[in-house]
Amino acid sequence: MMDGREEAVPVTIDLDQFPAQVGKLIEACEALGCFRVINHKIPVQLMSEMKSIVRNLFDLPTETKRRNTDTIVSSGYVEPTPKYPLYEALGFYGSNLFEAVDAFCGQLDVTVHQRETIKTYAHEVHNLAMEIGHKIAQGLGVEGDLCREWPIQFKINKYSFTKKTLGSPGIQLHTDSGFLTVLQEDECVGGFQVMDKSSRFIPVDPIAGSFLVNLGDVAKAWSNGRFCNAKHRVQCIEPGIRLTITVFILGPKEEMVEVPPELVDVDHPRLYLPFDYQDYRKRRISMGQVAGEALELYTIQNA
Ligand SMILES: O=C(O)CCC(=O)C(=O)O
Ligand SMILES: [Fe+2]
């Protein structure tokens, strides 16, 4: 910054300050692949109503939560495991958002009012994610509606942290497999950590009312290696129930993940072969390589 003071990392992108902040946005995508957004127009009331629904859904009996089955790998109920006993998740996947919410609500004992709130929330955060995706594409000079037709995944996460679990992992170090993720943090309980390019973990303290954005593997491949797929994890750093909500823009369903021609020239040769997102997601999980390593499968050796 001009006065010599470094801005806190991850940086904050003010969505009211566009196009002025395009450069800052692209820099954040390149440097860390993780940034915070403010002035996103999603009412805080809706954010907190959704949080209280999340709390209620996790309080359902285990038998009920088990009805939230997978549509694709790990899109439904994730039970605590011996390795990650503090973590639990519920969620859904779909190309048609409202149909996917209806199916999800049908699996769980959700009231009519809760269903409406989940729909409104998922719709608004999905729109926000697409707006951010659009700004990113424009920032690189790529025209067109990048991710409007791409399927989404919605996931709610619960971490049961106690004094005894201080220092234990909530979820393992990973990258998100898709293009971008919009995360509503817990207002109080921290623990999210993102890795910088020197492999140092940067603790991310929650800021209520904002959203955290992570770029995933699809963003790295799509940008011809320009963007960073943020490696991140959650650790127990303080006791308390930690609840977060994630909306993932994954990758194209009908087309391949492919570097757009605008991002390829003699100085920037194509780095990745086109690939199918669903295949990639399956291979990543089956190889147990969830921190972006599986992208190597598609690299082109530019001799
Ligand atoms: O709960 C969090 O803070 C992070 C969740 C996350 O990284 C994920 O669901 O991929
Ligand atoms: Fe993640």
Side-chain angles (χ1 to χ4, degrees):
M1 291 181 96
M2 301 293 277
D3 60 3
R5 266 183 302 142
E6 294 278 327
E7 185 178 344
V9 175
V11 298
T12 298
I13 302 296
D14 184 343
L15 293 174
D16 267 350
Q17 302 293 320
F18 272 79
Q21 296 219 327
V22 171
K24 188 175 173 187
L25 172 67
I26 298 301
E27 245 171 61
C29 292
E30 291 172 343
L32 198 62
C34 175
F35 53 89
R36 192 177 284 292
V37 293
I38 56 166
N39 287 327
H40 47 69
K41 310 288 183 301
I42 296 180
V44 284
Q45 171 75 11
L46 179 61
M47 293 173 76
S48 66
E49 266 182 43
M50 186 63 213
K51 259 305 160 60
S52 75
I53 293 173
V54 167
R55 201 174 302 274
N56 289 328
L57 294 181
F58 280 116
D59 285 341
L60 289 168
T62 303
E63 291 71 41
T64 310
K65 289 187 276 195
R66 285 185 180 144
R67 299 203 303 244
N68 175 217
T69 48
D70 284 354
T71 311
I72 56 167
V73 189
S74 75
S75 66
Y77 183 44
V78 178
E79 295 196 43
T81 62
K83 204 163 176 203
Y84 299 102
L86 312 178
Y87 176 71
E88 211 183 335
L90 290 159
F92 61 82
Y93 161 89
S95 298
N96 181 311
L97 182 61
F98 292 140
E99 276 174 19
V101 176
D102 277 333
F104 175 71
C105 293
Q107 292 165 337
L108 304 171
D109 291 327
V110 171
T111 66
V112 173
H113 179 68
Q114 286 176 328
R115 182 185 294 241
E116 286 316 305
T117 305
I118 299 172
K119 272 191 186 165
T120 308
Y121 180 90
H123 179 67
E124 296 218 2
V125 179
H126 182 229
N127 279 343
L128 171 64
M130 284 190 300
E131 180 193 337
I132 297 166
H134 189 67
K135 284 184 163 37
I136 290 173
Q138 268 189 326
L140 288 190
V142 178
E143 288 307 321
D145 237 351
L146 181 63
C147 40
R148 186 152 297 276
E149 303 300 326
W150 297 4
I152 76 152
Q153 188 186 350
F154 180 93
K155 190 151 71 88
I156 60 179
N157 305 296
K158 178 180 180 180
Y159 305 81
S160 302
F161 291 155
T162 64
K163 270 195 193 138
K164 281 205 182 117
T165 65
L166 287 173
S168 306
I171 48 170
Q172 66 181 318
L173 183 67
H174 67 282
T175 56
D176 295 341
S177 62
F179 187 73
L180 68 82
T181 308
V182 176
L183 172 89
Q184 184 184 335
E185 301 159 296
D186 193 275
E187 298 71 38
C188 306
V189 184
F192 186 97
Q193 300 175 345
V194 58
M195 200 186 246
D196 70 11
K197 292 211 164 131
S198 331
S199 299
R200 270 188 306 242
F201 281 109
I202 299 175
V204 179
D205 294 330
I207 300 182
S210 70
F211 286 93
L212 202 64
V213 178
N214 290 308
L215 297 190
D217 298 346
V218 168
K220 179 168 178 177
W222 173 86
S223 66
N224 207 18
R226 248 179 98 165
F227 290 164
C228 179
N229 46 348
K231 282 189 188 154
H232 56 281
R233 66 177 184 184
V234 176
Q235 288 286 111
C236 172
I237 56 162
E238 56 187 315
I241 297 293
R242 180 174 187 275
L243 298 171
T244 62
I245 309 171
T246 38
V247 171
F248 301 86
I249 302 282
L250 300 176
K253 198 172 176 199
E254 312 298 339
E255 293 139 42
M256 298 290 213
V257 176
E258 199 165 357
V259 181
E262 294 94 323
L263 303 183
V264 183
D265 58 39
V266 275
D267 296 326
H268 305 92
R270 195 174 287 277
L271 294 183
Y272 297 97
L273 295 164
F275 61 87
D276 176 72
Y277 171 73
Q278 299 290 335
D279 273 357
Y280 175 67
R281 183 181 170 108
K282 278 188 220 138
R283 289 174 84 164
R284 201 179 104 111
I285 293 175
S286 68
M287 300 193 317
Q289 297 194 332
V290 294
E293 311 87 338
L295 269 184
E296 301 281 324
L297 292 169
Y298 306 101
T299 46
I300 299 174
Q301 304 302 326
N302 290 298

